mmCIF file of all heavy atoms in Angstrom:
data_model
loop_
_atom_site.group_PDB
_atom_site.id
_atom_site.type_symbol
_atom_site.label_atom_id
_atom_site.label_comp_id
_atom_site.label_asym_id
_atom_site.label_seq_id
_atom_site.Cartn_x
_atom_site.Cartn_y
_atom_site.Cartn_z
ATOM 1 N N VAL S 969 1.469 7.087 -17.363
ATOM 2 C CA VAL S 969 1.499 8.374 -16.651
ATOM 3 C C VAL S 969 0.699 9.411 -17.431
ATOM 4 O O VAL S 969 -0.123 10.149 -16.864
ATOM 5 C CB VAL S 969 2.950 8.854 -16.429
ATOM 6 C CG1 VAL S 969 2.961 10.284 -15.880
ATOM 7 C CG2 VAL S 969 3.683 7.929 -15.466
ATOM 8 N N GLN S 970 0.902 9.461 -18.736
ATOM 9 C CA GLN S 970 0.197 10.424 -19.577
ATOM 10 C C GLN S 970 -1.308 10.186 -19.560
ATOM 11 O O GLN S 970 -2.102 11.135 -19.610
ATOM 12 C CB GLN S 970 0.718 10.349 -21.017
ATOM 13 C CG GLN S 970 2.159 10.808 -21.180
ATOM 14 C CD GLN S 970 2.678 10.604 -22.592
ATOM 15 O OE1 GLN S 970 1.911 10.401 -23.521
ATOM 16 N NE2 GLN S 970 3.992 10.656 -22.745
ATOM 17 N N GLU S 971 -1.715 8.919 -19.464
ATOM 18 C CA GLU S 971 -3.141 8.592 -19.465
ATOM 19 C C GLU S 971 -3.767 8.695 -18.077
ATOM 20 O O GLU S 971 -4.980 8.522 -17.933
ATOM 21 C CB GLU S 971 -3.341 7.181 -20.027
ATOM 22 C CG GLU S 971 -2.983 7.058 -21.500
ATOM 23 C CD GLU S 971 -3.152 5.643 -22.024
ATOM 24 O OE1 GLU S 971 -3.667 4.774 -21.263
ATOM 25 O OE2 GLU S 971 -2.777 5.396 -23.190
ATOM 26 N N GLY S 972 -2.921 8.938 -17.050
ATOM 27 C CA GLY S 972 -3.452 9.126 -15.707
ATOM 28 C C GLY S 972 -3.585 7.875 -14.867
ATOM 29 O O GLY S 972 -4.106 7.916 -13.745
ATOM 30 N N TRP S 973 -3.116 6.739 -15.373
ATOM 31 C CA TRP S 973 -3.172 5.500 -14.601
ATOM 32 C C TRP S 973 -2.106 5.481 -13.509
ATOM 33 O O TRP S 973 -2.268 4.812 -12.489
ATOM 34 C CB TRP S 973 -2.991 4.289 -15.513
ATOM 35 C CG TRP S 973 -4.125 4.051 -16.453
ATOM 36 C CD1 TRP S 973 -4.158 4.361 -17.795
ATOM 37 C CD2 TRP S 973 -5.403 3.493 -16.147
ATOM 38 N NE1 TRP S 973 -5.370 4.017 -18.329
ATOM 39 C CE2 TRP S 973 -6.157 3.479 -17.341
ATOM 40 C CE3 TRP S 973 -5.980 2.997 -14.977
ATOM 41 C CZ2 TRP S 973 -7.461 2.990 -17.396
ATOM 42 C CZ3 TRP S 973 -7.287 2.502 -15.024
ATOM 43 C CH2 TRP S 973 -8.007 2.506 -16.219
ATOM 44 N N LEU S 974 -0.999 6.161 -13.747
ATOM 45 C CA LEU S 974 0.103 6.231 -12.799
ATOM 46 C C LEU S 974 0.508 7.684 -12.607
ATOM 47 O O LEU S 974 0.315 8.511 -13.496
ATOM 48 C CB LEU S 974 1.318 5.446 -13.314
ATOM 49 C CG LEU S 974 1.212 3.928 -13.445
ATOM 50 C CD1 LEU S 974 2.441 3.382 -14.166
ATOM 51 C CD2 LEU S 974 1.068 3.270 -12.083
ATOM 52 N N SER S 975 1.106 7.968 -11.445
ATOM 53 C CA SER S 975 1.706 9.280 -11.221
ATOM 54 C C SER S 975 3.194 9.194 -11.554
ATOM 55 O O SER S 975 3.758 8.099 -11.678
ATOM 56 C CB SER S 975 1.524 9.710 -9.766
ATOM 57 O OG SER S 975 2.286 8.873 -8.905
ATOM 58 N N ASP S 976 3.841 10.342 -11.673
ATOM 59 C CA ASP S 976 5.291 10.346 -11.859
ATOM 60 C C ASP S 976 5.981 9.643 -10.699
ATOM 61 O O ASP S 976 6.988 8.946 -10.877
ATOM 62 C CB ASP S 976 5.810 11.787 -11.967
ATOM 63 C CG ASP S 976 5.637 12.361 -13.366
ATOM 64 O OD1 ASP S 976 5.843 11.618 -14.335
ATOM 65 O OD2 ASP S 976 5.289 13.547 -13.476
ATOM 66 N N PHE S 977 5.435 9.831 -9.494
ATOM 67 C CA PHE S 977 6.014 9.182 -8.318
ATOM 68 C C PHE S 977 5.889 7.663 -8.418
ATOM 69 O O PHE S 977 6.831 6.936 -8.090
ATOM 70 C CB PHE S 977 5.319 9.682 -7.050
ATOM 71 C CG PHE S 977 5.842 9.058 -5.787
ATOM 72 C CD1 PHE S 977 7.025 9.517 -5.211
ATOM 73 C CD2 PHE S 977 5.173 7.999 -5.173
ATOM 74 C CE1 PHE S 977 7.527 8.934 -4.053
ATOM 75 C CE2 PHE S 977 5.666 7.420 -4.015
ATOM 76 C CZ PHE S 977 6.836 7.889 -3.457
ATOM 77 N N ASP S 978 4.730 7.183 -8.866
ATOM 78 C CA ASP S 978 4.544 5.733 -9.054
ATOM 79 C C ASP S 978 5.592 5.191 -10.023
ATOM 80 O O ASP S 978 6.223 4.159 -9.761
ATOM 81 C CB ASP S 978 3.151 5.434 -9.614
ATOM 82 C CG ASP S 978 2.027 5.757 -8.651
ATOM 83 O OD1 ASP S 978 2.265 5.751 -7.431
ATOM 84 O OD2 ASP S 978 0.910 6.027 -9.124
ATOM 85 N N ARG S 979 5.733 5.892 -11.158
ATOM 86 C CA ARG S 979 6.696 5.453 -12.173
ATOM 87 C C ARG S 979 8.098 5.386 -11.599
ATOM 88 O O ARG S 979 8.813 4.400 -11.793
ATOM 89 C CB ARG S 979 6.664 6.426 -13.365
ATOM 90 C CG ARG S 979 7.723 6.164 -14.434
ATOM 91 C CD ARG S 979 7.782 7.341 -15.412
ATOM 92 N NE ARG S 979 8.756 7.139 -16.472
ATOM 93 C CZ ARG S 979 10.059 7.392 -16.370
ATOM 94 N NH1 ARG S 979 10.564 7.817 -15.219
ATOM 95 N NH2 ARG S 979 10.868 7.183 -17.393
ATOM 96 N N SER S 980 8.491 6.427 -10.887
ATOM 97 C CA SER S 980 9.822 6.471 -10.300
ATOM 98 C C SER S 980 10.028 5.331 -9.312
ATOM 99 O O SER S 980 11.068 4.663 -9.323
ATOM 100 C CB SER S 980 10.044 7.817 -9.607
ATOM 101 O OG SER S 980 11.307 7.863 -8.983
#
Side-chain angles (χ1 to χ4, degrees):
V969 172
Q970 293 175 16
E971 293 178 6
W973 292 102
L974 294 171
S975 67
D976 278 321
F977 180 80
D978 293 335
R979 174 191 181 277
S980 178

